[in-house]
Amino acid sequence: MVKDKDNIFEMQTECNFNIKSTKNHPFLTKKGMILLKDLEKNKEIAINTFKGVNYNQRIDRKKAILSKLFGYLLGDGYVNISKNKGYISFYGQKEDLEEIQKDLKGLGFNSNLISRERNHKINTKYGIKEFSAKNYELYNRSKEFAFLLKELGMQLGNKTNQKFLLPDWIMNGEIYVKRLFLAGFFGAELSSPSTHTKTGFYSPILSQNKNTKLKNNAREFLLQITKLLEEFGVKVNKISEDKELVNLRFRLIISAQEDNLLNLYQKIGYEYNKKRKRLADIACLYILKKKQIQKERSEIANKIKEYKMKGFKLKELYSNFSGKVNKRFIERHYYEKCNQRINLDFISFEEFKRLKLKEYEKYGCIFDTIKSIVKLNKQEKVYDFTVKDNHNFIANNFIVSNCGVRILSTSVSVKEFLKKREQLIEEVYKNVPSGLGSKGRIKVTKDLLMEVLKKGTKWAVESGYGIKEDIQRTEEYGCMPKADPSVISDTALKRGMPQLGSLGSGNHFLEVQQVDNIFDEKIAKAFGINKENVTVMIHCGSRGLGHQVASDYIKLMEDKFGFKDLADRELINAPINSDLGQKYYGAMSAAVNFAFANRQMIMHWVRDSFKNVFGDVKIDLIYDVAHNVAKMEKHKIDNKIKEVCLHRKGATRSFGPGNESLPEVYQKTGVPVLIPGSMGTSSYIMVGTKKAEEISFGSTAHGAGRIMSRHSALKQFRGETIKKELHERGIEVKSGSYAGLAEEAPGVYKDIESVIEVSHNVGLASKVAKVVPLCVIKG
């Protein structure tokens, strides 16, 4: 728990990254390192996080994916149309092709990944080079996709022997389109970051083969690439060409000047090539470290010259700069007019790369070293909830997607359920839309959505998706009172309209569970938990609408307050009582109401599914609670009751008996605390405590929490294997993709048992029942 009114700390790393926190030890690991860049950020197309270019455009996700795919196909792909059939092939490394496969799925196209041993022949100016290798290929046979690519301007068939220029939708497109096209193309064609000396980088090279007759076309195409690069501040040194046996080989040579490389790797980078992407991240960190040291040495050199002009003798300067530079450095800059260069003992890029690749393997990210932590003379009221080492950033931070959990009791026995488990899984999967970009079952107009955003669960029940008792068993009675749909953008509304009543993807799930153990019979009975019968747990949020609300207000706050002093642009904030702060609170509250209604509709269709399979069964809502939300609550602070804006990000309520915020049905027991584990592990139903209100603002952890990034999970786990292992343990899984299963493998989360024991033993919540999965439905 952070309860610190006066102490705000600013931390600076060796590469001049600044981060503000309410602790003097934020994000410290045992090695004294700070997380610099998490590869997970590249999973979503976070275009607006790059510096130096106006990326604040509305991003069409499908157009963004097409831009990447178009670029990669242009380099390492093949497209053709024959007899009204489409042939699209991508070539590359297995892990990269799996990422492409996932993006194709997001566009609605299936694909198959195969491997084969192939013999290769390459014509070079030295003769024919032959070799064999295991190659991976991702292929799609959709004529619709092939015709779409053709209409977008993609070459069909052999690219070497055809004219080609970039289409207008790229050359004159939005900046994110240009960046993603280049990054996809570079993932296939641009050379990897490497050095020719200890610290000096080679010029990145883009190579293209073209028939001799198409020389002028090839040069014009590379001129287009040069113009695109210039928009990102990336300079080209020159274009060269070499005659090979049949074709000409053209090389676009990019400047190796360090600021130019930073622009190239940070603003554009590589897509669909994780190896080069990692190397680019490492190269950027290396260059930044090198530049920082050179800056410090340059400042010392200038100081030496300044002291000399003031009449100080050489010997007098030795002790002044002792430990910072050696004597030879002092002498050179005292007597000579010489340029500043990096110190000889500075680590080589090859050694630095070796160390950082180990970090990637272990953590899925790279680290920078903390240089200093300084207390700032500021006063701010900060109430962030912290579990162990997971700290939320300071003051008024964003709550993005308003996720929550609800759990249902049923009259269906475990024995009866197991007999018809497969039938129920198919019925629920049919009735409850799930997966990336999934759409709801009903047609939602703007007027109807505005009502949903204002009324939440009440709208759903009034519309026939539930019963009145459901409202009584939902946090805030299913409606945030200060919701203001009028301050939500049209873009967010458009994203929300088709998604109302859908589960989504990622870590969202629907699970049928067996009660494995009851720790408190009295409370369990009050909650309606019966050890003989199955329960159902639903985890999802406000879908794309909630995400867009956060994106919109991040932009508005950036425009008003700026972000240059923030470690990450998404740490932007506004005072809660400001006009902008109040508008965001109203918009966020409306998104929470969307999430309440969304889970209510899903529960309604779960009830229908159970009745279709098991007949007239009873299914009751135990409770629905949010775990990513900010709320105005009254808490005792400095022996006074104060109303504060309490942020629960990765946390959930844990109010004890008698709290005025509780629904009447749980006034005597305390609030049900729902803590899901990972797919394939147990989850827990706990109850809130008075002690939690005293020591943690009535809060506890909301789940197991990840210990591995999705990037690392995809490297370590295979969805097919996960599904098989869970089946062998008696857990059936239905999912929209194997990649989704790999990302959510049980091994990527903390041990739920340890999390629960800490919460129980400290008094943040008390154990009531343990439930284990019988079947899981994932997006």
Side-chain angles (χ1 to χ4, degrees):
M1 173 63 57
V2 178
K3 181 185 174 184
D4 196 337
K5 295 181 180 180
D6 302 317
N7 297 335
I8 306 294
F9 295 89
E10 181 174 71
M11 180 175 63
Q12 187 177 64
T13 73
E14 285 185 349
C15 292
N16 273 350
F17 288 95
N18 294 311
I19 297 176
K20 292 181 180 178
S21 172
T22 52
K23 286 186 173 182
N24 63 357
H25 58 286
F27 296 100
L28 283 173
T29 70
K30 292 179 181 179
K31 295 181 180 179
M33 309 292 280
I34 177 172
L35 178 64
L36 174 63
K37 180 172 183 181
D38 192 332
L39 290 180
E40 263 325 285
K41 291 184 179 179
N42 291 324
K43 296 292 287 184
E44 293 297 326
I45 306 165
I47 306 303
N48 59 351
T49 63
F50 293 93
K51 298 178 181 178
V53 178
N54 178 20
Y55 286 93
N56 297 317
Q57 300 169 340
R58 300 295 183 194
I59 297 172
D60 181 326
R61 182 171 175 79
K62 290 187 176 180
K63 190 174 183 180
I65 292 173
L66 280 170
S67 303
K68 287 196 294 181
L69 293 173
F70 193 96
Y72 192 88
L73 272 170
L74 193 62
D76 262 346
Y78 175 84
V79 181
N80 209 350
I81 299 172
S82 177
K83 296 180 181 179
N84 211 30
K85 291 184 179 179
Y87 298 87
I88 304 102
S89 294
F90 299 82
Y91 310 105
Q93 298 299 310
K94 185 178 181 182
E95 63 176 353
D96 301 320
L97 295 180
E98 286 174 339
E99 187 177 352
I100 293 174
Q101 187 175 42
K102 190 173 182 179
D103 275 349
L104 287 173
K105 185 74 173 177
L107 294 176
F109 298 108
N110 293 320
S111 55
N112 294 297
L113 182 60
I114 60 172
S115 64
R116 67 181 79 176
E117 292 286 340
R118 299 185 66 176
N119 296 320
H120 297 266
K121 287 185 179 181
I122 298 178
N123 293 326
T124 72
K125 61 183 179 181
Y126 304 107
I128 298 176
K129 181 180 179 181
E130 298 185 23
F131 62 95
S132 61
K134 186 174 185 178
N135 297 106
Y136 290 92
E137 177 185 348
L138 182 72
Y139 68 89
N140 168 279
R141 295 294 180 260
S142 165
K143 68 176 182 181
E144 290 85 1
F145 188 40
F147 276 108
L148 171 62
L149 290 169
K150 180 183 177 183
E151 288 300 313
L152 290 173
M154 177 58 67
Q155 287 177 297
L156 302 183
N158 188 310
K159 297 188 284 284
T160 305
N161 297 318
Q162 296 180 60
K163 286 185 176 182
F164 177 77
L165 291 176
L166 292 177
D168 285 344
W169 70 272
I170 292 176
M171 289 303 297
N172 299 315
E174 298 91 339
I175 194 71
Y176 75 86
V177 169
K178 295 174 182 178
R179 182 259 152 182
L180 287 170
F181 160 74
L182 287 173
F185 189 42
F186 290 170
E189 295 293 306
L190 188 67
S191 61
S192 298
S194 61
T195 51
H196 56 86
T197 63
K198 182 180 176 181
T199 64
F201 283 83
Y202 278 111
S203 290
I205 295 176
L206 178 68
S207 299
Q208 293 284 284
N209 286 343
K210 212 69 172 177
N211 188 292
T212 306
K213 296 178 181 179
L214 300 176
K215 173 180 176 178
N216 291 337
N217 174 251
R219 295 180 70 88
E220 189 175 357
F221 168 72
L222 290 176
L223 179 59
Q224 286 183 312
I225 297 295
T226 301
K227 288 179 178 178
L228 291 181
L229 288 171
E230 287 172 351
E231 294 190 45
F232 297 86
V234 179
K235 299 175 183 177
V236 168
N237 273 348
K238 66 177 182 176
I239 181 175
S240 69
E241 59 184 74
D242 293 308
K243 183 74 170 72
E244 297 190 345
L245 290 181
V246 179
N247 302 317
L248 286 172
R249 187 168 185 82
F250 295 88
R251 292 180 175 84
L252 194 67
I253 303 172
I254 298 172
S255 168
Q257 195 272 336
E258 289 177 344
D259 286 332
N260 200 60
L261 293 179
L262 289 175
N263 283 340
L264 174 66
Y265 297 141
Q266 288 185 323
K267 294 179 181 179
I268 301 174
Y270 301 90
E271 293 289 347
Y272 301 139
N273 194 317
K274 292 181 179 178
K275 180 180 179 181
R276 290 177 186 166
K277 184 183 287 186
R278 291 175 198 139
L279 290 176
D281 291 341
I282 293 169
C284 287
L285 183 56
Y286 182 80
I287 291 170
L288 288 169
K289 282 183 177 291
K290 181 181 173 183
K291 286 173 70 67
Q292 181 61 25
I293 289 176
Q294 286 176 316
K295 179 184 176 183
E296 292 170 359
R297 288 167 65 86
S298 179
E299 290 172 353
I300 293 173
N302 291 335
K303 208 69 179 173
I304 291 169
K305 291 179 173 64
E306 178 187 333
Y307 286 154
K308 179 185 177 182
M309 291 180 65
K310 291 179 179 180
F312 289 99
K313 295 180 180 180
L314 177 63
K315 290 183 178 180
E316 293 171 325
L317 301 185
Y318 285 148
S319 60
N320 188 65
F321 296 107
S322 176
K324 297 178 181 179
V325 290
N326 58 32
K327 285 187 176 182
R328 176 60 184 146
F329 181 94
I330 300 170
E331 291 165 357
R332 286 179 65 243
H333 289 282
Y334 190 87
Y335 289 118
E336 305 170 18
K337 290 184 179 181
C338 52
N339 294 325
Q340 167 50 34
R341 60 192 181 196
I342 196 70
N343 46 307
L344 294 176
D345 60 353
F346 186 70
I347 188 171
S348 70
F349 177 69
E350 287 301 311
E351 177 63 14
F352 187 79
K353 179 175 72 174
R354 184 185 68 80
L355 295 173
K356 291 303 173 184
L357 285 174
K358 284 185 177 181
E359 285 181 5
Y360 264 121
E361 288 297 319
K362 188 172 183 179
Y363 304 107
C365 58
I366 53 177
F367 295 82
D368 190 15
T369 305
I370 297 170
K371 182 180 176 184
S372 65
I373 300 175
V374 181
K375 183 176 177 180
L376 303 180
N377 294 321
K378 290 187 177 181
Q379 289 190 345
E380 289 188 44
K381 290 188 177 181
V382 179
Y383 305 101
D384 285 348
F385 183 66
T386 303
V387 177
K388 243 183 171 179
D389 296 327
N390 299 321
H391 176 62
N392 290 323
F393 284 83
I394 68 165
N396 307 324
N397 196 12
F398 269 78
I399 303 295
V400 179
S401 50
N402 318 120
C403 290
V405 184
R406 67 173 48 195
I407 191 162
L408 324 176
S409 65
T410 79
S411 61
V412 178
S413 70
V414 174
K415 185 177 181 181
E416 186 181 3
F417 170 78
L418 291 175
K419 291 178 182 178
K420 298 183 177 181
R421 173 164 52 181
E422 292 297 329
Q423 186 180 346
L424 181 80
I425 291 173
E426 293 302 322
E427 188 73 13
V428 173
Y429 198 76
K430 177 184 72 176
N431 289 335
V432 179
S434 62
L436 180 66
S438 55
K439 297 180 179 180
R441 291 171 51 182
I442 68 170
K443 185 175 181 180
V444 178
T445 64
K446 183 176 179 180
D447 289 342
L448 187 148
L449 181 60
M450 297 297 274
E451 189 177 357
V452 172
L453 295 171
K454 193 69 179 174
K455 299 169 71 174
T457 300
K458 186 178 180 183
W459 169 86
V461 172
E462 289 174 349
S463 301
Y465 300 104
I467 56 179
K468 289 183 178 180
E469 286 77 7
D470 295 337
I471 296 174
Q472 300 299 315
R473 292 173 179 263
T474 304
E475 184 180 15
E476 300 292 344
Y477 298 99
C479 180
M480 294 283 281
K482 291 189 177 182
D484 185 359
S486 70
V487 295
I488 292 180
S489 71
D490 286 340
T491 303
L493 296 174
K494 287 176 182 177
R495 290 185 69 178
M497 280 191 282
Q499 293 185 336
L500 182 64
S502 61
L503 190 64
S505 61
N507 65 345
H508 294 163
F509 65 84
L510 191 157
E511 192 170 276
V512 180
Q513 305 160 328
Q514 176 180 358
V515 180
D516 181 68
N517 198 359
I518 291 180
F519 305 97
D520 191 320
E521 294 283 353
K522 183 178 178 181
I523 300 293
K525 185 176 180 180
F527 286 178
I529 300 169
N530 185 331
K531 196 171 184 181
E532 302 301 318
N533 298 339
V534 297
T535 59
V536 181
M537 185 174 280
I538 300 166
H539 173 221
C540 64
S542 53
R543 300 298 317 277
L545 180 140
H547 190 279
Q548 188 64 48
V549 165
S551 297
D552 290 339
Y553 277 89
I554 286 171
K555 173 65 168 60
L556 290 171
M557 292 179 190
E558 284 179 349
D559 291 344
K560 187 172 181 64
F561 300 110
F563 52 82
K564 65 178 182 178
D565 295 326
L566 296 176
D568 190 303
R569 283 176 69 168
E570 293 194 15
L571 297 180
I572 193 71
N573 57 75
I576 187 63
N577 290 322
S578 68
D579 179 64
L580 194 52
Q582 285 296 295
K583 282 182 178 178
Y584 175 68
Y585 188 80
M588 183 213 68
S589 296
V592 174
N593 288 347
F594 182 102
F596 282 142
N598 195 41
R599 291 192 291 273
Q600 181 67 31
M601 295 170 76
I602 291 172
M603 181 179 73
H604 173 74
W605 291 321
V606 168
R607 282 171 168 161
D608 284 348
S609 300
F610 267 80
K611 288 177 182 178
N612 291 341
V613 174
F614 297 105
D616 189 18
V617 296
K618 185 176 175 61
I619 298 180
D620 293 326
L621 174 61
I622 296 176
Y623 200 56
D624 179 296
V625 62
H627 56 225
N628 275 345
V629 70
K631 291 183 178 178
M632 301 305 298
E633 295 179 355
K634 293 180 180 179
H635 289 277
K636 192 174 184 179
I637 301 168
D638 297 334
N639 294 317
K640 295 180 181 179
I641 300 298
K642 298 181 180 181
E643 186 177 52
V644 295
C645 181
L646 187 72
H647 295 208
R648 291 189 178 92
K649 182 78 171 79
T652 190
R653 265 185 177 178
S654 183
F655 289 165
N659 189 292
E660 63 180 20
S661 299
L662 293 180
E664 184 177 348
V665 66
Y666 294 127
Q667 277 291 326
K668 293 182 179 179
T669 60
V671 69
V673 176
L674 311 179
I675 304 185
S678 63
M679 177 178 61
T681 67
S682 56
S683 297
Y684 279 80
I685 303 167
M686 305 181 78
V687 67
T689 65
K690 281 294 184 184
K691 187 173 182 180
E693 295 179 31
E694 296 170 2
I695 65 174
S696 67
F697 294 100
S699 305
T700 189
H702 84 300
R706 295 185 77 95
I707 56 173
M708 185 184 297
S709 70
R710 297 182 191 279
H711 163 80
S712 298
L714 286 171
K715 288 181 60 178
Q716 186 164 334
F717 300 104
R718 289 287 172 265
E720 301 94 322
T721 306
I722 297 298
K723 186 172 183 178
K724 181 181 178 183
E725 290 175 351
L726 292 175
H727 171 75
E728 291 172 352
R729 290 169 48 198
I731 304 168
E732 299 301 327
V733 179
K734 182 82 171 180
S735 175
S737 72
Y738 283 127
L741 289 181
E743 289 178 349
E744 295 298 316
V748 308
Y749 285 90
K750 295 174 186 173
D751 175 21
I752 186 65
E753 307 296 336
S754 299
V755 173
I756 296 301
E757 286 306 311
V758 169
S759 188
H760 179 79
N761 292 335
V762 172
L764 297 179
S766 294
K767 292 189 289 186
V768 176
K770 175 182 178 180
V771 293
V772 294
L774 297 173
C775 71
V776 184
I777 292 175
K778 302 282 292 183

